[in-house]
C-alpha cells in the first residue's frame, strides 16, 4: 500500500504546485493544470520522496538533540 500524496504545496524549488490534489505548472504569467497521468504520477512519487527525506532529516536532528540533552558534555 502506498502512502497518500500531499494535498497542497510547491514541490521543492520547481515550477509546479499541488493545489487541492491537482498539479499545476506555475509560470510567471499564470498556471496551467498538469493533466498527463504519467507526469503527475512522477510528481506524486517525487513529492513523497521529498517528504520522506525531510522526515528522515528531522528525525536525525531530533536524535542529535536528544543525545545532547542526555549528555550535555558531548561525550560519546
Amino acid at each position: 500500500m502506498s502512502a497518500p500524496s500531499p494535498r497542497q504545496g510547491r514541490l521543492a524549488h520547481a515550477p509546479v504546485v499541488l493545489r487541492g490534489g491537482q498539479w499545476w505548472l506555475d509560470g510567471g504569467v499564470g498556471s496551467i493544470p498538469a493533466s498527463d497521468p504519467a507526469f503527475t504520477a512522477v510528481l506524486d512519487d517525487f513529492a513523497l520522496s521529498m517528504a520522506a527525506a525531510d522526515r528522515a532529516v528531522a528525525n536525525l536532528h531530533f536524535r542529535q538533540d536528544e543525545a545532547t540533552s542526555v549528555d550535555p558534555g558531548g561525550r560519546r
Side-chain angles (χ1 to χ4, degrees):
M1 182 169 127
S2 64
S5 66
R7 300 302 301 161
Q8 190 160 316
R10 180 167 296 279
L11 183 58
H13 297 285
V16 291
V17 178
L18 186 62
R19 292 186 196 119
Q22 169 73 43
W23 286 106
W24 291 77
L25 304 176
D26 193 24
V29 235
S31 300
I32 59 169
S35 58
D36 178 43
F39 180 60
T40 57
V42 169
L43 291 174
D44 285 339
D45 289 345
F46 186 67
L48 289 171
S49 295
M50 291 289 292
D54 288 344
R55 283 191 303 274
V57 169
N59 187 33
L60 288 173
H61 286 294
F62 174 77
R63 289 174 42 193
Q64 282 179 330
D65 291 345
E66 192 175 68
T68 302
S69 68
V70 169
D71 185 8
R75 294 174 294 217
R76 294 180 187 225

